[in-house]
Amino acid sequence: MRAVLTRVSSASVSIRGNVVGKIGKGFLILLGVGPEDTEKECRYLAEKALGLRIFTDEQDKMNLGLEAVKGEVLVVSQFTLYGNCRKGRRPSFTGAAGPELGNALYEKFLSICEELGYPPQHGEFGADMQVESVNDGPVTLILDTDELMDAPRRG
């Protein structure tokens, strides 16, 4: 699984002009699912992401987590995180999980976030969405379970 996590002062996701998810200070997580991903990667990524301490303390050091700043979470599915731009000018998305697995693990990620105490705002899997965010810092991190876990490296 892959995530692009941005520390935000606010973020929202809209579908057909209607805001379906909105947060203040917290994390905007764009989430991609690969074809070999399982609930193990899903749980690992959720725990890793939500446990990051990337908010600044009184000494202006990144030392505080979501709980300390009463942060919120917005999760948006993003299969394009598995886009391959090696050949030609049009990305290939064959490295992304199919819709059935992608949706199942996206929903599982949302439920794990809630289980961990951060009920997420979220978009809709497979929908055409517009995402707005005010990046704080900016601080943006890329999390990839292929690199973070002891799993063999895939594509």
Side-chain angles (χ1 to χ4, degrees), residues 27-63:
F27 294 159
L28 167 60
I29 301 173
L30 305 177
L31 183 71
V33 178
E36 304 296 320
D37 289 330
T38 67
E39 288 189 19
K40 178 181 176 184
E41 285 83 9
C42 193
R43 178 164 296 281
Y44 180 90
L45 188 61
E47 290 174 353
K48 184 67 159 179
L50 298 178
L52 290 173
R53 298 182 345 191
I54 61 173
F55 293 94
T56 55
D57 62 16
E58 308 81 43
Q59 286 79 41
D60 206 29
K61 302 284 185 202
M62 280 198 264
N63 201 27

Side-chain angles (χ1 to χ4, degrees), residues 114-135:
E114 185 158 3
E115 174 189 319
L116 294 172
Y118 300 97
Q121 294 288 302
H122 56 86
E124 179 183 316
F125 185 87
D128 181 19
M129 297 175 277
Q130 292 71 50
V131 179
E132 294 186 24
S133 66
V134 178
N135 295 356

